[in-house]
């Protein structure tokens, strides 16, 4: 049983339509796929139909952009982006939709600011990016990357990310400040009947290095707020973090998942089904959800 709980379509920054993503899932031998576009539920009805066509299961999800506020032992405030997967929330929950729509709006302002910074050094302006922004899609840096490729500055998205945003936070980076606080987002997802699971926690370059202290208190705060689990098996989660997360999950009886974070064959190297979630863990997610139903 191949269960992949994290994939993107062109409703956000994936390169393929929802129909194509499900076609590819079928080809990859995936039995159950969650569509988790960034900050939107627009793809869900299309996914429900596409999953029926392909004869595979569909789990509705969202990858919610959040911002963590964490104090270090010396009292310094650190802010950083955290992606929070929300499985099976009520798509008609007003507060959730309002928060998502605010995020999407501020994503555009932030992307324009990023393009302005890049435009100072490269031949690039907003009109180059616009053609890679589909109507109704959630805007993100991959569209800027596509525009850079189109302009001939680089040959693919990966190259752009490696050169332009090598450490995630660089001179061409602008954070999205119009997104919910991480702990607040956990509470909101629960209020909407959803199941919050951190996407690619402590991902490469974003978490502590080998030997450094893990942010235990921050994780305990998220768990106290209702965090359901961690996406442990993901190509961006380093091995030392995976081990620590598994121990933490065992201690607090949390869910652990594995997923691809597919963005299209041509969008990112991640391949559908490259990491999977056990049926037991999917059952636990479904058992906790009260917002909407999975189509299995
Ligand atoms: P944003 O949401 O605007 O901050 O952009 C982040 C998105 O960029 C992530 O959700 C990934 O989908 C995408 N991304 C990050 N690194 C790469 C990469 N190396 N190649 C292609 N896409 C990437
Ligand atoms: Fe993405
Ligand atoms: Fe993510
Ligand atoms: Zn993702």
């Amino acid at each position: 049983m191949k269960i992949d709980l994290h994939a993107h379509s062109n409703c956000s920054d994936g390169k393929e339509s929802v129909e194509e993503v499900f076609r590819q899932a079928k080809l990859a031998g995936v039995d159950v796929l969650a569509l988790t576009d960034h900050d939107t539920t627009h793809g869900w009805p299309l996914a429900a139909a596409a999953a029926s066509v392909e004869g595979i299961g569909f789990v509705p999800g969202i990858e919610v952009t959040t911002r963590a506020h964490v104090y270090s032992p010396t009292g310094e405030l650190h802010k950083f982006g955290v992606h929070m997967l929300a499985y099976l929330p009520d798509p008609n929950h007003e507060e959730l939709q309002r928060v998502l729509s605010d995020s999407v709006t501020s994503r555009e302002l932030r992307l324009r600011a990023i393009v302005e910074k890049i435009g100072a050094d490269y031949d690039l302006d907003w009109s180059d990016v616009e053609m890679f922004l589909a109507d109704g899609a959630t805007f993100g840096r991959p569209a800027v990357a596509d525009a850079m490729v189109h302009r001939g500055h680089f040959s693919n998205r990966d190259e752009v990310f490696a050169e332009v945003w090598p450490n995630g936070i660089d001179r061409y980076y602008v954070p999205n400040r119009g997104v919910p606080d991480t702990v607040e987002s956990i509470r909101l997802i629960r209020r909407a009947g959803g199941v919050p699971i951190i996407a690619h926690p402590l991902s490469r370059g974003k978490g502590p290095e080998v030997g450094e202290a893990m942010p235990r208190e921050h994780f305990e705060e998220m768990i106290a707020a209702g965090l359901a689990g961690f996406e442990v098996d993901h190509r961006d989660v380093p091995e030392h973090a995976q081990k620590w997360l598994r121990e933490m999950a065992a201690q607090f009886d949390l869910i652990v998942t594995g997923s691809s974070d597919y963005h299209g064959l041509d969008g990112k190297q991640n391949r559908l089904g490259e990491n999977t979630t056990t049926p037991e863990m999917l059952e636990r997610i479904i058992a906790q959800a009260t917002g909407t139903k999975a189509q299995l």
Side-chain angles (χ1 to χ4, degrees):
M1 186 83 168
K2 251 191 195 178
I3 303 171
D4 184 343
L5 293 184
H6 188 161
H8 298 267
S9 73
N10 61 7
C11 291
S12 65
D13 58 0
K15 283 266 209 178
E16 295 161 359
S17 66
V18 172
E19 292 75 14
E20 184 60 21
V21 170
F22 277 83
R23 204 168 302 134
Q24 292 299 333
K26 179 75 180 179
L27 286 173
V30 170
D31 301 291
V32 179
L33 184 69
L35 184 74
T36 54
D37 275 309
H38 298 281
D39 304 319
T40 184
T41 56
H42 289 170
W44 289 9
L46 301 170
S52 301
V53 168
E54 303 301 337
I56 66 181
F58 162 54
V59 178
I62 313 165
E63 186 172 13
V64 181
T65 311
T66 77
R67 206 155 147 76
H69 299 80
V70 178
Y71 286 94
S72 70
T74 52
E76 271 170 278
L77 177 61
H78 292 276
K79 300 180 201 169
F80 52 92
V82 171
H83 288 174
M84 189 64 63
L85 291 160
Y87 293 109
L88 302 163
D90 174 3
N92 299 314
H93 191 272
E94 269 180 40
E95 189 191 3
L96 176 62
Q97 286 296 354
R98 188 169 8 97
V99 166
L100 295 179
S101 124
D102 287 351
S103 288
V104 168
T105 304
S106 80
R107 268 174 173 274
E108 172 165 354
L109 299 174
R110 173 250 190 181
L111 213 61
R112 284 177 182 270
I114 286 176
V115 171
E116 203 137 301
K117 283 192 169 188
I118 294 176
D121 296 335
Y122 294 87
D123 219 357
L124 187 84
D125 59 41
W126 186 248
S127 65
D128 295 310
V129 178
E130 264 181 328
M131 71 165 126
F132 295 100
L133 297 167
D135 270 353
T138 305
F139 298 174
R141 282 179 287 157
V144 177
D146 289 343
M148 297 285 275
V149 171
H150 185 74
R151 273 298 193 116
H153 300 307
F154 298 98
S155 58
N156 56 48
R157 279 186 178 181
D158 236 1
E159 238 180 54
V160 182
F161 272 87
E163 287 291 322
V164 177
W165 300 293
N167 306 307
I169 295 170
D170 313 270
R171 52 196 284 237
Y172 300 119
Y173 186 82
V174 177
N176 187 347
R177 297 192 177 83
V179 303
D181 166 72
T182 305
V183 174
E184 284 307 317
S185 79
I186 291 169
R187 298 199 180 101
L188 171 59
I189 291 163
R190 287 290 192 185
R191 280 199 294 281
V195 181
I197 295 195
I198 313 181
H200 42 73
L202 307 167
S203 356
R204 211 148 269 139
K206 286 186 110 189
E209 297 302 319
V210 180
E212 281 177 11
M214 289 291 182
R216 197 175 174 88
E217 269 177 36
H218 177 49
F219 275 76
E220 285 179 358
E221 189 191 359
M222 291 190 287
I223 293 165
L227 183 71
F230 312 128
E231 184 182 59
V232 175
D233 289 303
H234 181 294
R235 63 160 68 207
D236 292 343
V237 181
E239 228 168 277
H240 69 280
Q242 293 194 355
K243 184 169 175 286
W244 184 81
L245 290 161
R246 274 188 228 287
E247 284 166 11
M248 195 86 181
Q251 187 188 337
F252 289 91
D253 193 26
L254 302 181
I255 296 168
V256 293
T257 66
S259 348
S260 64
D261 204 352
Y262 182 71
H263 280 72
L265 290 172
D266 191 25
K268 240 181 165 184
Q269 288 167 11
N270 310 39
R271 288 292 168 260
L272 284 162
E274 70 176 24
N275 286 297
T276 55
T277 298
T278 64
E280 293 70 33
M281 291 297 172
L282 175 57
E283 265 170 38
R284 287 180 64 180
I285 292 173
I286 290 170
Q288 289 187 23
T290 56
T292 189
K293 293 237 177 311
Q295 177 181 308
L296 298 178

